[in-house]
């Protein structure tokens, strides 16, 4: 039930102590403000890093080779290990029930691409059709490579949006022929990529064509795979780690590499990388919560001191109330009312101010690792609960002190 007289007393107390109340309220408001802003930035960092991982397939694994670093079975260290098409085919067949997308990659070094008088040096790669989904590319014009192109050694090419703009300007490139290191290829598609111009600076030809035309023989530079989706991140991470370990062991056996040699066969697991980043984000978020809570605690101490002063100034009033039969609980509730009111109002001001700032400034932040800094409803609700708990804690000791005041002592107080 709404007690108008009680609230009038609270406002009168605040009015009498307006300067001190304002300063302590400001500390509480700043604590909530800092906490919400930090949490918003933390969420923005998580969004930014998630966007970076989404540039490629979420659970992609890249396999490439290096040099051996350990002597094994009479073979000296320092051997260059080169993957072959048979490595890819054997792996794809061995794990066909586990794989979603797969592609071998043959890179054509120093690929100079020319169209009429325009030319440029771009990254040229021979790939399989699944590579579109591994790189998360989208077609803006024409089509991507297909298995018919690969099986028939077709001299066709798919170019990035930047390559199209550089060489063809505003003209439609589909059906036109360009030269790659002096060999003509027909443009069948233009793609765009979430990675932006860096990823759109690429040119793709069928894997078989690239190997045959550019003297690649049966060699490939790397392999890329994605696994079938799992129910949750932890299950997906466990499956990808298991696949990485088994594939590394399998390739070491195929190329006579020592089991303890960690340089010859390399596998980049995007889920493992994502887990490291997300764990880091969780630590940063925990740190932000700690900074915000410590700032709020400083405000709580201030409010508690103010309430102690108020209790001291109202000692006689409290004594009269108790002499007239007021229970200690009612005295405690009276003090807690005032404490919670001060912290709640100040905290809500800080909360609204921080949410408004994030809403206004958040969309203007455009960096690679911070995107859309914001807080969700759950965080806002948590801060409201913190406000209530903070107000109760701030008023508890003053309320306890007020409840212990003896009427006879209070009435003698000057």
């Amino acid at each position: 039930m709404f007690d108008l007289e009680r609230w009038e007393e609270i406002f009168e107390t605040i009015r009498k102590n307006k300067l001190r109340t304002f300063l302590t309220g400001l500390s509480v408001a700043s604590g909530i403000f800092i906490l919400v802003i930090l949490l918003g930035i933390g969420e923005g960092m998580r969004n930014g890093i998630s966007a970076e991982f989404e540039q490629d397939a979420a659970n992609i694994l890249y396999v490439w080779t290096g040099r051996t670093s350990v002597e094994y079975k009479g073979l000296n260290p320092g051997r260059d290990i080169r993957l072959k098409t048979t490595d890819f085919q054997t792996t794809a067949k061995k794990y066909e029930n586990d794989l979603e997308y797969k592609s071998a990659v043959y890179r054509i070094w120093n690929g100079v691409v020319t169209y009429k008088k325009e030319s440029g040096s771009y990254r040229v790669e021979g790939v399989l059709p699944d590579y579109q989904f591994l790189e998360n590319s989208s077609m803006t014009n024409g089509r991507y490579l297909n298995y018919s192109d690969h099986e028939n050694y077709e001299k066709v090419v798919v170019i990035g949006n930047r390559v199209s703009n550089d060489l063809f300007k505003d003209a439609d490139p589909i059906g036109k022929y360009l030269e790659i290191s002096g060999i003509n290829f027909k443009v069948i598609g233009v793609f765009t990529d979430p990675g932006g111009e860096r990823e759109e600076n690429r040119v793709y030809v069928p894997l078989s064509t690239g190997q045959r035309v550019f003297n690649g023989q049966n060699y490939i530079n790397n392999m890329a795979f994605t696994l079938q989706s799992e129910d949750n991140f932890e299950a997906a991470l466990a499956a990808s780690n298991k696949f990485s370990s088994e594939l590394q062991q399998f390739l070491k056996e195929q190329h006579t590499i020592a089991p303890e040699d960690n340089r010859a066969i390399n596998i980049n697991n995007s889920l493992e990388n994502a887990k490291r980043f997300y764990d880091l984000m969780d630590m940063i978020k925990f740190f932000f919560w700690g900074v915000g809570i410590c700032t709020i605690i400083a405000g709580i101490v201030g409010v508690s001191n103010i309430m102690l002063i108020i209790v001291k100034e109202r000692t006689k009033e409290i004594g009269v109330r108790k002499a007239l039969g007021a229970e200690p609980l009612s005295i405690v509730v009276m003090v807690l009312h005032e404490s919670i009111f001060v912290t709640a109002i100040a905290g809500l001001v800080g909360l609204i101010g921080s949410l408004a700032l994030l809403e206004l400034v958040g969309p203007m932040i455009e960096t690679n690792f911070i995107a859309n800094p914001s807080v969700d409803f759950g965080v806002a609700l948590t801060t409201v609960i913190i406000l209530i708990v903070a107000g109760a804690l701030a008023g508890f000791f003053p309320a306890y002190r007020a409840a212990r005041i003896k009427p006879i002592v209070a009435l003698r107080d000057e």
Side-chain angles (χ1 to χ4, degrees):
M1 183 176 179
F2 184 75
D3 189 346
L4 180 60
E5 183 178 347
R6 176 87 282 273
W7 286 105
E8 286 178 349
E9 291 179 1
I10 292 175
F11 281 115
E12 179 63 20
T13 302
I14 292 174
R15 188 188 66 80
K16 291 179 179 179
N17 299 275
K18 54 186 178 182
L19 179 59
R20 288 176 295 191
T21 303
F22 172 78
L23 293 176
T24 53
L26 185 63
S27 63
V28 174
S30 63
I32 292 294
F33 181 87
I34 292 171
L35 174 60
V36 173
I37 292 296
L38 289 176
L39 293 178
I41 292 174
E43 187 64 24
M45 294 173 67
R46 178 178 285 269
N47 293 338
I49 289 176
S50 297
E52 288 291 313
F53 280 107
E54 288 170 2
Q55 289 178 7
D56 296 328
N59 59 342
I60 192 169
L61 296 102
Y62 279 106
V63 184
W64 74 97
T65 57
R67 290 183 175 181
T68 58
S69 60
V70 178
E71 181 183 357
Y72 186 62
K73 292 186 177 180
L75 299 174
N76 293 328
R79 290 182 295 127
D80 285 319
I81 302 300
R82 298 187 67 184
L83 293 171
K84 295 184 178 181
T85 305
T86 50
D87 291 318
F88 171 77
Q89 293 171 340
T90 306
T91 301
K93 185 175 181 179
K94 180 180 176 67
Y95 296 99
E96 60 181 343
N97 295 327
D98 300 320
L99 300 177
E100 181 181 20
Y101 300 116
K102 54 190 177 295
S103 178
V105 179
Y106 174 69
R107 184 167 301 158
I108 293 92
W109 302 103
N110 301 318
V112 177
V113 182
T114 305
Y115 175 72
K116 293 184 177 179
K117 295 181 180 180
E118 302 292 338
S119 66
S121 180
Y122 303 101
R123 183 168 173 177
V124 182
E125 295 177 329
V127 299
L128 294 175
D130 279 6
Y131 204 68
Q132 175 186 0
F133 307 105
L134 291 165
E135 283 292 308
N136 205 16
S137 302
S138 301
M139 302 306 297
T140 59
N141 197 0
R143 67 172 177 85
Y144 203 77
L145 305 171
N146 58 37
Y147 279 100
S148 178
D149 299 326
H150 172 67
E151 291 166 1
N152 296 321
Y153 302 92
E154 297 288 351
K155 292 181 182 178
V156 293
V157 63
V158 176
I159 61 177
N161 196 50
R162 179 182 171 185
V163 179
S164 177
N165 292 334
D166 289 348
L167 300 183
F168 295 92
K169 308 304 179 184
D170 296 328
D172 184 0
I174 303 301
K176 293 182 173 64
Y177 286 82
L178 52 72
E179 290 184 2
I180 301 176
S181 299
I183 301 172
N184 287 328
F185 284 81
K186 182 180 179 180
V187 179
I188 61 171
V190 179
F191 71 88
T192 184
D193 191 283
E197 288 193 356
R198 179 173 60 88
E199 301 296 330
E200 293 173 359
N201 194 35
R202 297 186 182 187
V203 174
Y204 296 130
V205 300
L207 174 64
S208 60
T209 307
Q211 290 174 317
R212 171 178 287 187
V213 171
F214 297 103
N215 197 31
Q217 301 178 40
N218 194 37
Y219 291 107
I220 58 177
N221 294 98
N222 54 60
M223 302 185 292
F225 305 98
T226 58
L227 301 180
Q228 298 288 348
S229 59
E230 299 287 347
D231 294 334
N232 54 64
F233 180 82
E234 293 301 325
L237 177 63
S240 65
N241 284 338
K242 180 174 181 291
F243 174 77
S244 297
S245 177
E246 291 181 359
L247 179 57
Q248 194 170 50
Q249 181 180 354
F250 171 72
L251 291 175
K252 285 180 178 180
E253 292 173 355
Q254 294 294 106
H255 291 270
T256 318
I257 300 170
E260 67 273 17
D261 191 338
N262 295 321
R263 294 184 180 180
I265 302 293
N266 301 280
I267 300 179
N268 182 36
N269 184 342
S270 66
L271 286 184
E272 185 64 34
N273 294 337
K275 184 178 186 301
R276 284 196 289 268
F277 275 109
Y278 289 147
D279 287 345
L280 176 62
M281 289 301 98
D282 289 339
M283 293 178 63
I284 291 174
K285 194 172 184 179
F286 179 77
F287 173 74
F288 285 168
W289 270 106
V291 172
I293 294 297
C294 289
T295 308
I296 292 172
I297 289 174
I300 291 174
V301 172
V303 173
S304 183
N305 289 334
I306 288 296
M307 296 310 300
L308 283 171
I309 295 172
I310 291 174
V311 167
K312 181 173 179 61
E313 291 177 347
R314 298 175 64 183
T315 299
K316 183 171 289 187
E317 174 193 340
I318 293 171
V320 171
R321 287 174 179 269
K322 297 190 73 174
L324 294 176
E327 295 292 331
L329 181 60
S330 67
I331 302 299
V332 171
V333 171
M334 177 187 73
V335 178
L336 287 180
H337 262 163
E338 297 179 9
S339 175
I340 292 173
F341 180 82
V342 170
T343 54
I345 293 297
L348 286 174
V349 169
L351 175 61
I352 293 171
S354 59
L355 292 176
L357 182 62
L358 287 174
E359 187 71 22
L360 179 65
V361 179
M364 301 179 186
I365 299 176
E366 297 181 0
T367 68
N368 290 334
F369 297 103
I370 299 180
N372 189 30
S374 60
V375 294
D376 56 23
F377 176 77
V379 173
L381 181 63
T382 301
T383 58
V384 171
I385 295 173
I386 289 175
L387 293 176
I388 296 173
V389 173
L393 289 175
F396 175 76
F397 291 106
Y400 179 75
R401 179 175 177 178
R404 289 174 56 87
I405 294 176
K406 296 181 180 180
I408 188 65
V409 176
L411 294 173
R412 290 175 182 170
D413 184 71
E414 293 296 335

